[in-house]
C-alpha cells in the first residue's frame, strides 16, 4: 500500500467516525476523552494573547522575548487557576482557560481584567525598565483577551502520543477571535451572553458602566460584544 493510500484510509476513518456524545460537568482532559467520544460542556472560554510579540521578536534578543512571553503565560495561567479555570491550551504567546461551575462568566471576566492589569501595571513597566531593547524601540507591551460562554464539544485529535483536545462551537472560536482585536486601550472583549449575567460590581465603577457596546461579525453572523479599558486590581 502506498503512502497516499494510507492517508486516504486514515482520512476515511475519521470522516466515518460516529461520536458518542456525553454531557460533561467538569472540564475534560485529554486522557478522559476517547477517540470516539465527544464531551458536551457548558463553559466560559477565555483566550489571553500577548499583542505585538512579533515586534519583540524583531527588535529584541531571543532570550528577552522568551522571558517576556514566559512571564505573560505564567501570570495569566496563575490567574486562570485562581478563578477556578482549567488551562487547556498554549499556542505561542496565547493561553486558553475554560471555566465551569456556578459563576463561570463572572469568573472569566474578572480574570480577564486582572490579566489586563498585570500586563499594564506589572509586566510592561518591569520589562521596559529591565530591557534596553524594549525602551530603545518604544515597544508597548499590550494584551488582547476575549471571553465567551455557551455550549461546546471537546473531541480528541492527533495521533498516538501526540494528541490533544480540540473544541468545537462558537464560544472557544469567538473568544479566540475577540482576543485578536487590537483596539488598545480596550483590551478586554466579551460576548453579550457574558455581559448579560454580570453583576453591578462587574459593570460599574463610580456609577459609570465600564463596558462599551460594539458589534462583531463571525462567520457571517453579527454578534453584540462589549469592550472595556478598565483593569481590575488582583
Amino acid at each position: 500500500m502506498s503512502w497516499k493510500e494510507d492517508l486516504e484510509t486514515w482520512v476515511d476513518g475519521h470522516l466515518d467516525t460516529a461520536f458518542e456524545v456525553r454531557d460533561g460537568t467538569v472540564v475534560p482532559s485529554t486522557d478522559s476523552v476517547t477517540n470516539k467520544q465527544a464531551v458536551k460542556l457548558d463553559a466560559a472560554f477565555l483566550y489571553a494573547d500577548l499583542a505585538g510579540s512579533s515586534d519583540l521578536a524583531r527588535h529584541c534578543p531571543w532570550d528577552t522575548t522568551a522571558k517576556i512571553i514566559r512571564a505573560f503565560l505564567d501570570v495569566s495561567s496563575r490567574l486562570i487557576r485562581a478563578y477556578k479555570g482549567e488551562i487547556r491550551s498554549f499556542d505561542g504567546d496565547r493561553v486558553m482557560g475554560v471555566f465551569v461551575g456556578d459563576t463561570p462568566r463572572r469568573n472569566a471576566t474578572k480574570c480577564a481584567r486582572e490579566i489586563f492589569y498585570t500586563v499594564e501595571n506589572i509586566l510592561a513597566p518591569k520589562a521596559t525598565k529591565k530591557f534596553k531593547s524594549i525602551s530603545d524601540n518604544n515597544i508597548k507591551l499590550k494584551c488582547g483577551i476575549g471571553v465567551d460562554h455557551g455550549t461546546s464539544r471537546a473531541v480528541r485529535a492527533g495521533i498516538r502520543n501526540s494528541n490533544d483536545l480540540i473544541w468545537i462551537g462558537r464560544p472557544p472560536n469567538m473568544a479566540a477571535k475577540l482576543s485578536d482585536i487590537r483596539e488598545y486601550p480596550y483590551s478586554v472583549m466579551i460576548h453579550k451572553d457574558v455581559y448579560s449575567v454580570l453583576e453591578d460590581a462587574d459593570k460599574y465603577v463610580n456609577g459609570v458602566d465600564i463596558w462599551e457596546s460594539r458589534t462583531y461579525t463571525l462567520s457571517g453572523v453579527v454578534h453584540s460584544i462589549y469592550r472595556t479599558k478598565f483593569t481590575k486590581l488582583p
Side-chain angles (χ1 to χ4, degrees):
M1 182 178 292
S2 69
W3 184 238
K4 175 178 177 293
E5 290 173 331
D6 285 338
L7 295 172
E8 290 176 343
T9 298
W10 290 320
V11 168
D12 286 339
H14 288 296
L15 298 184
D16 292 337
T17 298
F19 288 110
E20 303 167 1
V21 181
R22 62 179 175 87
D23 291 332
T25 57
V26 299
V27 181
S29 63
T30 305
D31 293 340
S32 69
V33 182
T34 69
N35 287 332
K36 293 187 177 182
Q37 284 184 330
V39 179
K40 181 180 178 182
L41 189 71
D42 289 330
F45 288 80
L46 177 154
Y47 272 86
D49 176 37
L50 184 64
S53 57
S54 58
D55 285 338
L56 291 175
R58 183 166 63 251
H59 296 295
C60 302
W62 72 266
D63 55 341
T64 297
T65 302
K67 291 172 184 177
I68 291 172
I69 293 176
R70 190 166 69 168
F72 171 74
L73 295 176
D74 182 289
V75 295
S76 298
S77 298
R78 291 179 189 275
L79 287 168
I80 289 170
R81 287 281 178 84
Y83 276 101
K84 301 179 181 179
E86 295 290 338
I87 298 158
R88 284 295 178 268
S89 178
F90 290 101
D91 180 14
D93 58 359
R94 173 184 288 187
V95 59
M96 181 186 79
V98 188
F99 300 76
V100 295
D102 295 331
T103 57
R105 285 172 280 191
R106 289 194 68 209
N107 285 352
T109 301
K110 288 188 285 188
C111 179
R113 289 178 57 208
E114 290 190 14
I115 293 173
F116 183 20
Y117 177 96
T118 303
V119 172
E120 284 286 290
N121 298 288
I122 300 176
L123 177 58
K126 286 181 176 292
T128 301
K129 182 178 179 180
K130 185 175 184 62
F131 300 116
K132 195 171 184 293
S133 56
I134 299 292
S135 57
D136 284 354
N137 290 286
N138 295 315
I139 297 174
K140 168 63 177 173
L141 295 180
K142 308 171 187 175
C143 63
I145 309 166
V147 180
D148 194 10
H149 177 274
T151 302
S152 302
R153 274 83 174 172
V155 300
R156 193 167 176 173
I159 59 177
R160 186 184 297 275
N161 298 324
S162 297
N163 55 74
D164 202 353
L165 294 181
I166 59 174
W167 298 84
I168 312 300
R170 187 202 76 194
N173 191 22
M174 176 65 77
K177 295 296 185 182
L178 294 180
S179 74
D180 285 334
I181 297 176
R182 300 293 180 251
E183 296 179 357
Y184 183 82
Y186 297 90
S187 293
V188 177
M189 307 276 178
I190 63 176
H191 193 273
K192 70 171 183 177
D193 290 348
V194 176
Y195 177 85
S196 64
V197 304
L198 297 183
E199 296 184 0
D200 286 352
D202 308 314
K203 292 181 178 180
Y204 299 96
V205 173
N206 298 324
V208 177
D209 193 337
I210 65 173
W211 298 93
E212 294 187 3
S213 176
R214 290 289 185 272
T215 59
Y216 182 78
T217 301
L218 179 66
S219 301
V221 179
V222 179
H223 295 266
S224 295
I225 65 169
Y226 290 81
R227 68 179 190 174
T228 188
K229 61 181 178 180
F230 284 77
T231 64
K232 181 179 181 299
L233 180 69

